[in-house]
Structure formats: C-alpha cells, structure tokens
Amino acid sequence: MSALSRVTGGRLRFGGDYNPEQWPRSVWAEDVRLMRRAGVNMVTVGVFSWASLEPRPGARDFGWLDHVLELLHSGGIDVCLATPTASPPPWMGVRHPETLPRDENGLTVWYGSRQQFCASSPVYREYARRITEDLAQRYGSHPALRLWHVNNEYCTFCWCDETARHFRRWLRERYGSLEALNTAWGTAFWSQRYDGWEEIIPPRRAQYLRNPSQLLDFQRFTSDALLECFTGERDILAAHTPDIPVTTNFMPLWRGQDGWRWAAEEDVVSVDIYPDPRAGWESPDGPAHGALVQDLTRSQAGGPWMLMEQAAGPVNWRGVNHPKPPGLNRLWSLQAVARGADAVCYFQWRQSRQGSEKFHSGMVPHAGERSRTFQEVCGLGADLARIGPEVAGTGVTAQVALLHDWHSWWAGDQPGRPSSELDYTRVLTSWYQALWEENLLTDLAHPEHDLSRYPLVVLPHLYLLSDTALDSLTAYVRGGGTLVCGYFTGVADGDDRVREGGMDARLRDLLGIAVLHEWWPLHPEDGLTLDDGTPAGLWSEELDTVPGNAVTVLARYADGELAGRPAVLRNRFGAGTAWYLSTQPGHGALRRLLADAAATAGVAPVLPGLPDGVEAVRRGDLLFLLNHRRSPVTVPLPLPGTDLLTGTRHTEEVRLDRHGVAVLRS
Ligand code: GAL
C-alpha cells in the first residue's frame, strides 16, 4: 500500500487549510457543519499556529487544538496536522534576533509577516524540533490524524553569519579542499582566490557581477539547508508515528528548491497550484500552466500526488484579482485529478476577515453559505465523492518525457549570459504548451533518469548538463530513442564551466554538429524566418553540421546574419534519432515539429483530432475530457462510454458545456 493510499483510504481527499484560531469558538461547530455539507473529508490544521500553540518560549497551549480535533473527528472529518514552523512567533525574533534572516545587504528581515527564519539557525531548529516533538507526542495517536504537513512552502533565503558558517561546512563536504573549491569556482578570474575557508561568504551584495559558480553553489546549499529543516522535522514525526505519512507543500514550478531531491525525501508529494502570476484565469495559457505543474508533481511523486492548495475564487496578490468564473474551479480541480491528484484542497477553508489575506478567497467566502463559490465547492465535493473510488490510486501513463533540472535553471538564468531574454521557465512552458496542445501526455524527468521507457524525449533548454546526463542521453538515443533538443543546451558542466567548444563534444556528436561557432541571441523585436517559412525568434546559433549523410538539415535561416546556415537538424545516431532546434520556432511550428517527432517515434495523442481548447487525459481506464473554452463543444468519441459524473451513456460524441468535464468509462 502506498503512503498516499494510507491517507486517502481509496477515495479522493477534499478539503483545505483550516485556521480556526482566527475565529471565535462559536464558528467552529458551524465550520464542521458546512464541511460536511460540502463533502470535505480532510482539513489541514495548524499551518501558521505557532504563536497560538507556544504563546511564550516553552509554554504550550494545546487546549484549543484538542477541541478542534475532537470537533472535526466527531464530524467525520480527518486531519492533516501541520507543524507550525513556517511562522515563528514574534518573541523568537525579540529574544533570538539571530533566528531572523538577513538579506544580501545584511539587513534584517523582520517578523510581522511570515517565514522569517534562518534555516541555518540552531536556535530556530531547536525550537522547531521541540514543538514538532510535542505535537507528535500529543496527537500522534489521535484517530483523526491521517497526514503530517511540515512547515509551508519552504522558500526563504538568508545571507547572515550563521549561514556563512553553514555554507562553509557544506562546501568543505562538497569539495574536500580549498584548492578544489578554487578550481571549481574559477577564482583565478578577478583575483577571487580564497586562501582560507573563513574568507568564504554567501554571495552578498557586491560591486559588480558575482562569481557564477558561487551563486550556483549558494542556491544548491540553500535548497539543502531548507531540506535539512524538513528532514529534521520529518524524522521526529516518523519516529512517533511510522504509519502516518509526511509531506511538505511545494510551490508551482518554484525555483528555490531542487524538487527532484526534495520529493525523494517525502512520503507523499504535494503542491500548491495558483496560476502563473504572468498569466491570469483569463489567459489561454492558464490550463497548460496547471497541467505542467500537475505533470511535474506526478513525475516527482512517481504516481498519485496531492493538490494541497488552490484558490476557490480570487487571490489577492496579483494586480487585479478576479473571481473564477462559474465552472472554472471545478474544471481545474478535475484537471488535477485527471493528471494524477488524489486530493483536491484549498487555501483556505473560511476566508479571513482580518490579516494580509482577507481579500483572498476561501471555500467559504465572506458571502457565506449562500454564495456561488460555496455552492460550487459543494458541487465539486459531490463530484469527487462520485468518481473517487474509481480514480484514487490509479496511474497516468505518458510516453513523452520533458527534461527539467533545477541546477540547470539556477546556472542558466544568472546575469552575465549571452541574453537576458532567455528565461528558463518561459522556454520550458512554451515547449510544454506545444505538447499539451497536441494532446501528448507528458511526464517530466531529470536528464540523469533512465529514459528508456519513453519513445520520445524532449529537452527544450538545459544550459548545464552533467557528464552522467550526457552519457544517459547518448545511451538513450543510441539505443533507439528519439530526442528533440533545443538551443543553448549542454553548454556548461556541473561547476558552470563552459564545455570545450561551447557545447559538449558528446552532445555535438549526438546532434550532428561539427562546430558551434557562436550563439546569436535576438532582441524581442527581431524575428527571423527559416527557409520553410517558419517564423522564429529569441535565439539563433551559427553552426556547421558534421559532413556525411547521417544529419539532415530540415530548415536553414532565411534571413539575418545567419542566412543560409543550418537552423533545424535531424541526425541518425546509433539506432535512434536526435533533432536539434538552434532557435525558438513560432508556436504553431513548434507544435507541428513536436507532433512530427512524436509520430515518427510512434507516440499517439490521447485522442486524435480534438478541438483546440479541449484536453483529453487518460487516467487508469478512465478518459477525462475537459473543455477549457468559454463555449460548449462537441467531442467525437472513438468508443462509447458512460460519464461517471452524470451516469449518462454516450455513444458517438459528448457535448461539453462551457468549462464542462466528462469522465468516461469505456
Ligand atoms: C500560498 C500559501 C498560503 C496562502 C496562499 C495564498 O502560497 O501557502 O498560506 O498564502 O499562498 O494564495
């Protein structure tokens, strides 16, 4: 039995963050009544409760939490209990100012908001250890407890002196000697050579560009330092309750944590999904962004996962914050389920009336029980209860792997590169979106993973590739795989040292490139055309192909400085094929190219000929059809099926309302 199935018990979990400490007790019983009405079956309690549980150093006030857990339990609502360590009480900052983080300029990041802790502070860690220990002791055998939720969205950075000491210890372990560190960081440049460990500091504010390998290592270190905080608490909980799984919630496609490494330390992988701040509900990119995060989380989990937070209505941290139009909350929730979620939860249960998030929606908004939002929440609860037993625990099988690596992201998006326009997540997202629109089910994978089970591997842009990754990619294609690889890839090694020739020789060989003369990034306003009419932009490369007939030039640059030179290549290598795109094709062209590569690799879309804006996902033996358009649509069916949401049998086609969903069993 997987850890997550111990949490779900074979149904889909539905609920949200529940913060009763913000409300008088008279509201609590009402909360449980409304939760039951909505079909809520688990809530997350205590995420930001530290000051309520430990009002002064060492004191404990568990009475209110005892009462809340009893109320929930007697109402049949299970509990995901959080450690409150994301928001230390003010007394900690006053008594132990060294627990407060310092920014790059050495300025204190004060209490008065949340997440004001230095991950390296032994004092913070000790207080976190004690409160975690006491929570586990007190509630470990509570019958409502199903899951532990550690901290919340680990995301802090700190540049203080304690962090500096910790960073040095981490570096000693990584490099062993100062000489090795000086070599890895290339400190011969600009007279940066270190003569003693104590000279090394976190990359604080400096006069001009800072050492890129130091920045990269500091990012790696910060991810690891936060991970130590997580595993520290996890181990305490696991010692008390070996059968209760532990999670911590990720942010969607968040830069700060090495998500592959972190997920491996969790019993259950969970994520919070809010729309990309660069795109709103109204954006046509919204559903693809959600799908990307969902596929990434499923891939991190290696199976079903939890949607720990989303918003039932508006958020309050965009410029203009609209509610979700009718049906959108249900559509996006069922999209997550289609892509492997076994839980649909929200921030938060009841919308706050005070505090920084009083204009952020809740499942129960200010307008209360009669509001449209709450009615829709109830409808969704009923839908999830209906399909839950058929869906929970089942898998999603993708035949395409999209490669993603945090270290490459960290190394590649620093200043001082050929183009500040090249944005890691934009490239990843645009390639993912093309796959999504072609209805090709996709996993995300680390370039060092075993890729042999995927007929198609897509690598949009990975500036840094380790030797292991290069060997694994080469072995994959040699063994018969199909790789589509994008520009400015394989440029640097694990220390962020540029590979000889500007691209690793193994990769050049694989792609059929003889010489990579120069990178030619483009200004946003400078478009290019290829000789097959394809518009392109962002980036181009001056390269020569290997002589001979293994490599075919599929398109050449038709204008600009590189006119006549190869732009898109396809190379036969071993038993497989590798495509190289030295530029970013226009969206339609990228779609066509990936669809061609998929077809030649024998990968079919979930349903052929779907109308644009309709998503089809197969989970287990169910087919989810999701209409992201604002108008109804009719989808032809390859086989008759019964919609589990309505009980209706459809033979030739299904009509989906605006934002409608069908979950078909054939
Ligand atoms: C999340 C966070 C929640 C809440 C929410 C608002 O990042 O975990 O506590 O702040 O954002 O959208």
Side-chain angles (χ1 to χ4, degrees):
M1 200 193 232
S2 75
L4 182 52
S5 57
R6 291 207 300 275
V7 178
T8 62
R11 54 195 168 144
L12 295 171
R13 287 296 187 178
F14 182 52
D17 282 12
Y18 180 39
N19 299 303
E21 66 272 34
Q22 296 176 16
W23 297 92
R25 290 191 177 213
S26 54
V27 177
W28 299 356
E30 175 68 359
D31 281 329
V32 174
R33 181 184 72 78
L34 291 178
M35 285 174 193
R36 290 172 64 89
R37 204 182 140 200
V40 163
N41 54 31
M42 186 172 79
V43 291
T44 303
V45 185
V47 178
F48 295 112
S49 302
W50 203 340
S52 307
L53 295 171
E54 186 171 1
R56 59 206 65 83
R60 292 288 180 264
D61 182 359
F62 285 131
W64 67 273
L65 187 54
D66 293 350
H67 187 54
V68 167
L69 261 53
E70 275 326 300
L71 269 179
L72 290 167
H73 182 56
S74 55
I77 316 283
D78 289 331
V79 169
C80 163
L81 189 56
T83 66
T85 52
S87 197
W91 56 251
M92 198 185 299
V94 174
R95 292 210 174 197
H96 307 285
E98 72 277 20
T99 61
L100 296 171
R102 298 291 173 99
D103 71 9
E104 287 166 281
N105 300 314
L107 296 175
T108 301
V109 177
W110 288 97
Y111 50 87
S113 177
R114 65 179 185 190
Q115 273 135 345
Q116 72 287 356
F117 63 88
C118 162
S120 300
S121 159
V123 176
Y124 163 76
R125 288 190 183 195
E126 178 56 19
Y127 276 111
R129 188 190 67 71
R130 287 189 205 153
I131 190 76
T132 302
E133 184 83 46
D134 288 359
L135 278 169
Q137 179 104 41
R138 189 167 187 99
Y139 300 109
S141 55
H142 197 286
L145 180 67
R146 290 288 174 280
L147 178 66
W148 291 110
H149 176 301
V150 170
N151 202 283
N152 188 68
E153 295 186 338
Y154 278 102
C155 62
T156 53
F157 280 81
C158 178
W159 285 259
C160 76
D161 289 343
E162 189 61 56
T163 301
R165 286 188 282 276
H166 190 192
F167 186 36
R168 286 175 207 132
R169 290 196 296 276
W170 184 92
L171 289 166
R172 264 178 196 268
E173 204 154 296
R174 181 175 174 85
Y175 293 109
S177 73
L178 208 51
E179 197 191 328
L181 178 139
N182 277 310
T183 307
W185 285 12
T187 55
F189 187 79
W190 282 351
S191 174
Q192 290 172 352
R193 186 187 161 276
Y194 294 99
D195 197 42
W197 288 101
E198 65 293 344
E199 294 169 5
I200 300 173
I201 52 171
R204 293 180 179 147
R205 186 176 163 220
Q207 185 63 23
Y208 183 45
L209 294 177
R210 291 167 293 181
N211 182 304
S213 309
Q214 180 189 10
L215 287 169
L216 172 60
D217 272 349
F218 186 62
Q219 179 62 73
R220 287 172 169 148
F221 156 79
T222 299
S223 174
D224 285 358
L226 289 167
L227 184 57
E228 283 173 13
C229 292
F230 168 71
T231 55
E233 293 187 32
R234 178 204 61 191
D235 292 348
I236 295 168
L237 299 168
H240 283 269
T241 54
D243 294 330
I244 304 285
V246 183
T247 191
T248 181
N249 49 339
F250 292 130
M251 279 191 264
L253 207 55
W254 167 246
R255 189 179 178 284
Q257 290 155 291
D258 177 351
W260 295 120
R261 196 169 148 81
W262 274 70
E265 298 288 348
E266 291 185 279
D267 298 323
V268 165
V269 178
S270 63
V271 73
D272 302 343
I273 304 187
Y274 296 95
D276 186 341
R278 293 179 296 207
W281 312 133
E282 66 283 2
S283 157
D285 303 345
H289 175 78
L292 168 57
V293 176
Q294 292 153 13
D295 288 351
L296 172 60
T297 313
R298 184 187 65 248
S299 307
Q300 288 172 279
W305 52 279
M306 292 182 67
L307 173 54
M308 188 60 88
E309 288 181 22
Q310 61 172 340
V315 297
N316 69 328
W317 39 259
R318 295 163 49 83
V320 175
N321 301 288
H322 326 154
K324 283 180 171 165
L328 192 65
N329 178 30
R330 175 177 185 262
L331 173 69
W332 285 9
S333 301
L334 291 169
Q335 181 192 38
V337 173
R339 293 183 180 272
D342 270 4
V344 173
C345 304
Y346 292 83
F347 174 83
Q348 60 177 328
W349 164 250
R350 187 183 278 280
Q351 183 171 19
S352 303
R353 286 178 56 199
Q354 290 179 291
S356 307
E357 292 183 327
K358 58 185 179 293
F359 292 115
H360 190 292
S361 57
M363 298 166 81
V364 183
H366 293 151
E369 194 174 354
R370 285 180 305 165
S371 63
R372 169 173 71 82
T373 297
F374 186 68
Q375 297 306 315
E376 288 192 37
V377 162
C378 293
L380 177 62
D383 286 334
L384 296 177
R386 217 167 283 134
I387 64 172
E390 311 276 335
V391 178
T394 60
V396 174
T397 307
Q399 290 189 293
V400 182
L402 181 72
L403 302 189
H404 163 61
D405 176 24
W406 272 268
H407 295 243
S408 188
W409 183 0
W410 296 332
D413 75 349
Q414 293 184 20
R417 308 277 160 186
S419 171
S420 57
E421 292 297 321
L422 184 60
D423 174 307
Y424 181 87
T425 48
R426 269 183 205 268
V427 178
L428 184 75
T429 305
S430 69
W431 285 51
Y432 177 85
Q433 175 138 0
L435 291 164
W436 183 82
E437 287 173 8
E438 287 300 320
N439 212 228
L440 294 161
L441 263 183
T442 300
D443 281 344
L444 280 94
H446 186 275
E448 293 178 4
H449 286 172
D450 174 13
L451 302 167
S452 55
R453 73 186 171 88
Y454 297 103
L456 177 65
V457 169
V458 177
L459 186 174
H461 154 60
L462 287 176
Y463 160 81
L464 177 158
L465 281 175
S466 67
D467 288 334
T468 316
L470 286 160
D471 291 340
S472 123
L473 286 173
T474 320
Y476 166 74
V477 180
R478 185 176 288 121
T482 300
L483 171 74
V484 181
C485 177
Y487 45 89
F488 205 47
T489 283
V491 173
D493 69 11
D495 295 330
D496 194 14
R497 181 187 293 103
V498 174
R499 300 269 187 186
E500 232 176 282
M503 178 192 250
D504 186 79
R506 284 162 287 190
L507 197 60
R508 271 184 275 137
D509 233 31
L510 173 61
L511 301 168
I513 297 172
V515 185
L516 199 155
H517 297 279
E518 291 289 352
W519 300 291
W520 284 80
L522 300 166
H523 286 285
E525 60 281 9
D526 294 342
L528 272 179
T529 316
L530 307 186
D531 62 1
D532 60 359
T534 298
L538 185 69
W539 193 266
S540 58
E541 291 176 359
E542 181 177 348
L543 55 85
D544 292 339
T545 52
V546 171
N549 49 16
V551 58
T552 311
V553 177
L554 298 173
R556 292 178 181 274
Y557 292 103
D559 48 26
E561 292 291 340
L562 301 184
R565 286 192 163 271
V568 180
L569 321 176
R570 190 179 57 218
N571 191 38
R572 278 189 281 108
F573 183 84
T577 308
W579 308 48
Y580 187 61
L581 279 66
S582 65
T583 184
Q584 170 84 14
H587 188 65
L590 184 59
R591 263 182 83 165
R592 279 192 299 280
L593 194 139
L594 292 172
D596 279 0
T600 35
V603 179
V606 177
L607 276 191
L610 266 187
D612 273 354
V614 178
E615 178 178 358
V617 185
R618 234 174 254 293
R619 180 168 180 194
D621 53 8
L622 300 177
L623 175 67
F624 284 71
L625 295 174
L626 304 126
N627 180 16
H628 296 283
R629 294 148 64 118
R630 292 176 192 195
S631 50
V633 66
T634 299
V635 182
L637 289 179
L639 290 172
T642 302
D643 185 354
L644 299 186
L645 293 167
T646 58
T648 312
R649 180 145 180 93
H650 300 277
T651 47
E652 277 164 22
E653 56 184 35
V654 183
R655 185 179 182 280
L656 300 171
D657 290 338
R658 171 192 158 124
H659 293 159
V661 182
V663 182
L664 298 171
R665 176 189 290 298
S666 295

